[in-house]
Short mmCIF file of all heavy atoms in Angstrom, two decimals:
data_model
loop_
_atom_site.label_atom_id
_atom_site.label_comp_id
_atom_site.label_asym_id
_atom_site.label_seq_id
_atom_site.Cartn_x
_atom_site.Cartn_y
_atom_site.Cartn_z
N ARG V 92 -98.99 48.17 81.89
CA ARG V 92 -100.30 48.29 82.57
C ARG V 92 -100.75 46.92 83.03
O ARG V 92 -101.25 46.73 84.16
CB ARG V 92 -101.35 48.91 81.65
CG ARG V 92 -101.22 50.39 81.51
CD ARG V 92 -102.14 50.91 80.44
NE ARG V 92 -103.49 51.04 80.88
CZ ARG V 92 -104.46 51.60 80.16
NH1 ARG V 92 -104.20 52.03 78.92
NH2 ARG V 92 -105.66 51.70 80.63
N LEU V 95 -98.91 45.82 86.11
CA LEU V 95 -99.39 46.53 87.31
C LEU V 95 -100.75 46.02 87.75
O LEU V 95 -101.02 45.86 88.94
CB LEU V 95 -99.43 48.02 87.08
CG LEU V 95 -98.06 48.72 87.02
CD1 LEU V 95 -98.23 50.18 86.68
CD2 LEU V 95 -97.32 48.54 88.33
N CYS V 101 -105.26 46.00 90.33
CA CYS V 101 -106.05 47.21 90.12
C CYS V 101 -106.65 47.15 88.72
O CYS V 101 -106.31 46.29 87.92
CB CYS V 101 -105.18 48.45 90.31
SG CYS V 101 -103.81 48.59 89.15
N SER V 102 -107.49 48.13 88.42
CA SER V 102 -108.10 48.25 87.10
C SER V 102 -107.09 48.80 86.08
O SER V 102 -106.05 49.33 86.44
CB SER V 102 -109.32 49.14 87.15
OG SER V 102 -108.90 50.50 87.37
N SER V 103 -107.46 48.68 84.85
CA SER V 103 -106.62 49.23 83.77
C SER V 103 -106.42 50.76 83.93
O SER V 103 -105.34 51.27 83.74
CB SER V 103 -107.26 48.92 82.40
OG SER V 103 -106.51 49.46 81.35
N GLU V 104 -107.51 51.42 84.33
CA GLU V 104 -107.42 52.89 84.52
C GLU V 104 -106.50 53.25 85.66
O GLU V 104 -105.69 54.18 85.57
CB GLU V 104 -108.82 53.46 84.79
CG GLU V 104 -109.75 53.41 83.58
CD GLU V 104 -110.35 52.02 83.35
OE1 GLU V 104 -110.42 51.21 84.31
OE2 GLU V 104 -110.71 51.72 82.20
N ARG V 105 -106.57 52.47 86.76
CA ARG V 105 -105.66 52.71 87.89
C ARG V 105 -104.22 52.46 87.51
O ARG V 105 -103.31 53.17 87.92
CB ARG V 105 -106.06 51.82 89.08
CG ARG V 105 -107.34 52.19 89.72
CD ARG V 105 -107.10 53.30 90.73
NE ARG V 105 -108.40 53.68 91.26
CZ ARG V 105 -108.63 53.94 92.50
NH1 ARG V 105 -107.66 53.92 93.38
NH2 ARG V 105 -109.82 54.30 92.90
N ALA V 106 -103.99 51.38 86.76
CA ALA V 106 -102.66 51.06 86.31
C ALA V 106 -102.07 52.19 85.43
O ALA V 106 -100.90 52.56 85.59
CB ALA V 106 -102.64 49.75 85.55
N TRP V 107 -102.93 52.74 84.58
CA TRP V 107 -102.52 53.88 83.76
C TRP V 107 -102.15 55.06 84.65
O TRP V 107 -101.10 55.66 84.46
CB TRP V 107 -103.64 54.28 82.80
CG TRP V 107 -103.37 55.54 82.06
CD1 TRP V 107 -103.84 56.77 82.36
CD2 TRP V 107 -102.55 55.68 80.90
NE1 TRP V 107 -103.36 57.70 81.46
CE2 TRP V 107 -102.55 57.05 80.55
CE3 TRP V 107 -101.78 54.80 80.14
CZ2 TRP V 107 -101.87 57.56 79.48
CZ3 TRP V 107 -101.09 55.31 79.06
CH2 TRP V 107 -101.11 56.66 78.74
N GLY V 108 -102.98 55.32 85.65
CA GLY V 108 -102.70 56.40 86.58
C GLY V 108 -101.40 56.19 87.33
O GLY V 108 -100.66 57.18 87.58
N LEU V 109 -101.12 54.97 87.74
CA LEU V 109 -99.89 54.69 88.44
C LEU V 109 -98.69 54.98 87.56
O LEU V 109 -97.69 55.61 87.96
CB LEU V 109 -99.84 53.23 88.87
CG LEU V 109 -100.74 52.79 90.00
CD1 LEU V 109 -100.74 51.31 90.17
CD2 LEU V 109 -100.33 53.47 91.31
N LEU V 110 -98.75 54.55 86.29
CA LEU V 110 -97.65 54.83 85.35
C LEU V 110 -97.45 56.32 85.13
O LEU V 110 -96.33 56.81 85.11
CB LEU V 110 -97.90 54.12 84.01
CG LEU V 110 -97.72 52.59 83.99
CD1 LEU V 110 -98.21 52.02 82.67
CD2 LEU V 110 -96.28 52.23 84.26
N ARG V 151 -100.01 54.90 97.84
CA ARG V 151 -101.14 55.81 97.72
C ARG V 151 -102.36 55.08 97.25
O ARG V 151 -103.50 55.32 97.73
CB ARG V 151 -100.84 56.97 96.74
CG ARG V 151 -99.89 58.01 97.31
CD ARG V 151 -99.82 59.24 96.43
NE ARG V 151 -99.30 58.98 95.08
CZ ARG V 151 -98.01 59.02 94.75
NH1 ARG V 151 -97.08 59.30 95.62
NH2 ARG V 151 -97.65 58.76 93.50
N LEU V 152 -102.18 54.11 96.34
CA LEU V 152 -103.31 53.32 95.82
C LEU V 152 -103.92 52.49 96.98
O LEU V 152 -105.13 52.48 97.12
CB LEU V 152 -102.85 52.41 94.71
CG LEU V 152 -103.88 51.45 94.14
CD1 LEU V 152 -104.99 52.21 93.45
CD2 LEU V 152 -103.22 50.45 93.18
N GLN V 155 -105.99 54.60 99.38
CA GLN V 155 -107.27 55.06 98.84
C GLN V 155 -108.35 54.00 98.98
O GLN V 155 -109.54 54.30 98.90
CB GLN V 155 -107.11 55.43 97.35
CG GLN V 155 -106.31 56.68 97.14
CD GLN V 155 -106.07 56.91 95.65
OE1 GLN V 155 -106.44 56.11 94.78
NE2 GLN V 155 -105.39 58.01 95.31
N ARG V 156 -107.98 52.78 99.22
CA ARG V 156 -108.99 51.70 99.31
C ARG V 156 -109.66 51.70 100.63
O ARG V 156 -109.45 52.14 101.59
CB ARG V 156 -108.33 50.37 99.05
CG ARG V 156 -107.90 50.23 97.62
CD ARG V 156 -107.24 48.90 97.40
NE ARG V 156 -106.80 48.88 96.00
CZ ARG V 156 -106.09 47.90 95.51
NH1 ARG V 156 -105.77 46.86 96.25
NH2 ARG V 156 -105.72 47.92 94.29
#
Side-chain angles (χ1 to χ4, degrees):
R92 283 171 80 173
L95 289 175
C101 62
S102 69
S103 178
E104 292 78 23
R105 290 277 176 138
W107 172 261
L109 289 171
L110 287 172
R151 286 190 298 270
L152 177 65
Q155 290 174 356
R156 290 181 183 173

